Amino acid sequence: MSIKILLTGGTIDKHYNESNGELHFVSTHIPEILSLGRNRSDCELQELMLKDSLAMTDADRQQILAACQTASQNQIVITHGTDTMVETAHRLGNSSLDKTIVLVGAMVPYVFKHTDAVFNLGFALAAVQTLPTGVYVTMNGSVFDWDKVKKNKKLGVFETH
Amino acid sequence: MSIKILLTGGTIDKHYNESNGELHFVSTHIPEILSLGRNRSDCELQELMLKDSLAMTDADRQQILAACQTASQNQIVITHGTDTMVETAHRLGNSSLDKTIVLVGAMVPYVFKHTDAVFNLGFALAAVQTLPTGVYVTMNGSVFDWDKVKKNKKLGVFETH
Amino acid sequence: MSIKILLTGGTIDKHYNESNGELHFVSTHIPEILSLGRNRSDCELQELMLKDSLAMTDADRQQILAACQTASQNQIVITHGTDTMVETAHRLGNSSLDKTIVLVGAMVPYVFKHTDAVFNLGFALAAVQTLPTGVYVTMNGSVFDWDKVKKNKKLGVFETH
Amino acid sequence: MSIKILLTGGTIDKHYNESNGELHFVSTHIPEILSLGRNRSDCELQELMLKDSLAMTDADRQQILAACQTASQNQIVITHGTDTMVETAHRLGNSSLDKTIVLVGAMVPYVFKHTDAVFNLGFALAAVQTLPTGVYVTMNGSVFDWDKVKKNKKLGVFETH
């Protein structure tokens, strides 16, 4: 029984752009994080897009939903920007898929020394293998049901809604 | 519903000893890892010992078992050396506690750049919150039942027994 | 004989701003870098400003020059943004101070895993202790005279002019 | 005018041996450190041995001396274990070579998060380009003449003799 990891971008996957000192997308770090964690669970990665979640459109969310539906796996992790993670979770939660879907991201990109990406991805990978069918957000060492979570932008944390 | 984290040492918690170039125990890194992961789940840490698991005695395992029994929490993570993690898991598994107990460690200490400690602790923290009553080993991105796992020392991985 | 380190900001000292995903200034990392390098040479830090060097004004450069002039030390390291490092070097070089002044910065902030900040600061600290009176830019493992260096923005490197 | 970097091993270049939890030699990290520092100075690396400096023999020191003599470069950095760095420096210093030779190492291996290797190598690379003919030890952000330095093993620092 394998796991599908759908990549959509978000803070977790941003790189440093030396030419202008800003952050941008180049390529994903998720394989490197799995390797660092010496992951041996059977994961299949699929990159849907590498986007800041504030830039995600309805069409993007439709694409994510379609990828969940067509995946042969019943365990799906979605890496996602934190700003609209809850919105995407709603879209998926309202679609009543018979799968375990876990959305995860990071408050600090993987390329920073003080990133939470590695801890979070480890957490999500356990959650997807152990939770019953449903859609979940996993952040801050916590599992949230898709319809009972919101991001507190002021504190930079996810909370029960 | 909070989580008890019992610390027993192991590779995950070793430091570099500059005076002789070897690794030894000084103090635990687990609070730092939880902080890095921005963990907000309610965890209570209890340091039982900081030992290489090859040096663990029956009395040490008895102490770990007793700490699981007397803990007010039903969700318990135990950080542990990998060499005898399975042995301790057996001791706990045979005791039929009505709790969810997850043993976790690292192949590379937290103080190294290429450590798996952060990923593993994130993984364990999700596992303990989502798994049913029982004793488990969580390593390599996988959950193992206590009586169906062994360490493959040659490859440095945990496998189904 | 001690060394003065004048801090002016630049890429080397930027932090990650979680609320908007951009980089900004909070406080300096230079003491942490010196500590990492186990520096025992006698350094006195003075923070003049924490600015992106593109935002530096004539008044800022005047302040840097004045700090060089009034410093009791004859060996001065200046941490500086790379974009106008050469401009500041010219201002100092044209002032004919009887001191050894070394400007240094980083292409990647200290907070990133792949930062060049630590290597560069180590390099600058040796350069300031060993070079004759004059104004120098030290980047890419090289020492440049202030009037013979330019930044190649396309390649992100410093070159002989 | 290029720089020769002679590699002899020492703490700076040790790896973690997962099978026994000790440190050992596998391959050198010096190219990775130079790359991290975005070094563009012309360096030619030559690996003589990868040894703990406590295990160095007279023959090893003879080999290092010979490599210094036969190098076409006049600027030579030698990476070396700290325990007998001073002894090797004496051997070279007594040989009156007409070159600038800088010995450098680390108190904490490069593979650790809190390594001083990157700072030290940056420091050494500036020192070798700027110091007059002679043999030097560069540690702790300081330049020491070969015949005026000793390692204080208790404090783990190099001091003027």
Side-chain angles (χ1 to χ4, degrees), chain C residues 3 5 34 39 41 43 77 121-129, chain D residues 119 123 141:
Chain C
I3 301 162
I5 304 184
L34 293 174
N39 174 59
S41 67
C43 292
V77 170
L121 194 64
F123 191 95
L125 215 58
V128 81
Q129 295 179 68
Chain D
F119 184 93
F123 191 94

Side-chain angles (χ1 to χ4, degrees), chain D residues 18-142:
Chain D
E18 296 176 18
S19 66
N20 64 6
E22 298 182 358
L23 298 171
H24 65 158
F25 294 105
V26 180
S27 57
T28 183
H29 303 101
I30 306 301
E32 189 176 331
I33 301 176
L34 293 173
S35 167
L36 190 68
R38 295 159 166 261
N39 174 60
R40 282 166 51 91
S41 66
D42 183 18
C43 293
E44 186 183 271
L45 275 67
Q46 183 182 346
E47 185 178 312
L48 298 181
M49 65 202 77
L50 289 180
K51 275 199 175 182
D52 190 309
S53 76
L54 287 173
M56 271 194 185
T57 62
D58 274 353
D60 292 328
R61 292 201 168 82
Q62 179 55 37
Q63 189 188 350
I64 296 170
L65 171 59
C68 289
Q69 288 168 324
T70 60
S72 61
Q73 297 89 347
N74 287 319
Q75 300 180 342
I76 301 176
V77 170
I78 304 173
T79 61
H80 199 288
T82 60
D83 281 323
T84 69
M85 186 184 285
V86 171
E87 193 177 333
T88 301
H90 273 253
R91 179 69 178 269
L92 300 173
N94 282 319
S95 301
S96 303
L97 302 171
D98 192 26
K99 306 196 172 195
T100 299
I101 300 175
V102 170
L103 290 100
V104 69
M107 291 305 295
V108 179
Y110 173 67
V111 287
F112 286 86
K113 290 171 184 155
H114 64 299
T115 182
D116 54 333
V118 181
F119 184 93
N120 290 353
L121 194 64
F123 191 94
L125 216 57
V128 82
Q129 294 179 71
T130 53
L131 285 166
T133 293
V135 176
Y136 307 90
V137 164
T138 58
M139 290 290 289
N140 315 320
S142 304

Side-chain angles (χ1 to χ4, degrees), chain B residues 13-33:
Chain B
D13 249 343
K14 286 191 178 171
H15 288 248
Y16 181 63
N17 184 342
E18 296 177 19
S19 66
N20 64 5
E22 298 181 359
L23 298 172
H24 65 156
F25 294 105
V26 179
S27 57
T28 183
H29 303 101
I30 306 300
E32 189 176 332
I33 301 175

Side-chain angles (χ1 to χ4, degrees), chain A residues 64-126:
Chain A
I64 295 170
L65 172 59
C68 291
Q69 289 169 324
T70 60
S72 61
Q73 297 89 346
N74 286 321
Q75 300 181 342
I76 300 175
V77 170
I78 304 173
T79 61
H80 198 288
T82 60
D83 281 325
T84 70
M85 187 184 285
V86 171
E87 194 177 332
T88 301
H90 273 253
R91 179 68 178 269
L92 300 173
N94 282 319
S95 301
S96 303
L97 301 171
D98 192 26
K99 306 196 172 195
T100 300
I101 300 176
V102 170
L103 290 99
V104 68
M107 293 304 296
V108 178
Y110 173 67
V111 288
F112 286 87
K113 289 171 186 154
H114 64 298
T115 182
D116 53 334
V118 181
F119 184 91
N120 290 352
L121 194 64
F123 190 94
L125 215 58

Side-chain angles (χ1 to χ4, degrees), chain C residues 89-144:
Chain C
H90 273 254
R91 179 67 178 269
L92 300 174
N94 283 318
S95 300
S96 304
L97 301 171
D98 192 26
K99 306 197 172 194
T100 300
I101 300 176
V102 170
L103 290 100
V104 69
M107 292 304 295
V108 178
Y110 173 67
V111 287
F112 286 86
K113 290 170 186 155
H114 63 299
T115 182
D116 53 334
V118 181
F119 183 92
N120 291 352
L121 194 64
F123 191 95
L125 215 58
V128 81
Q129 295 179 68
T130 53
L131 286 165
T133 294
V135 175
Y136 308 89
V137 164
T138 58
M139 291 290 289
N140 314 319
S142 305
V143 175
F144 300 95

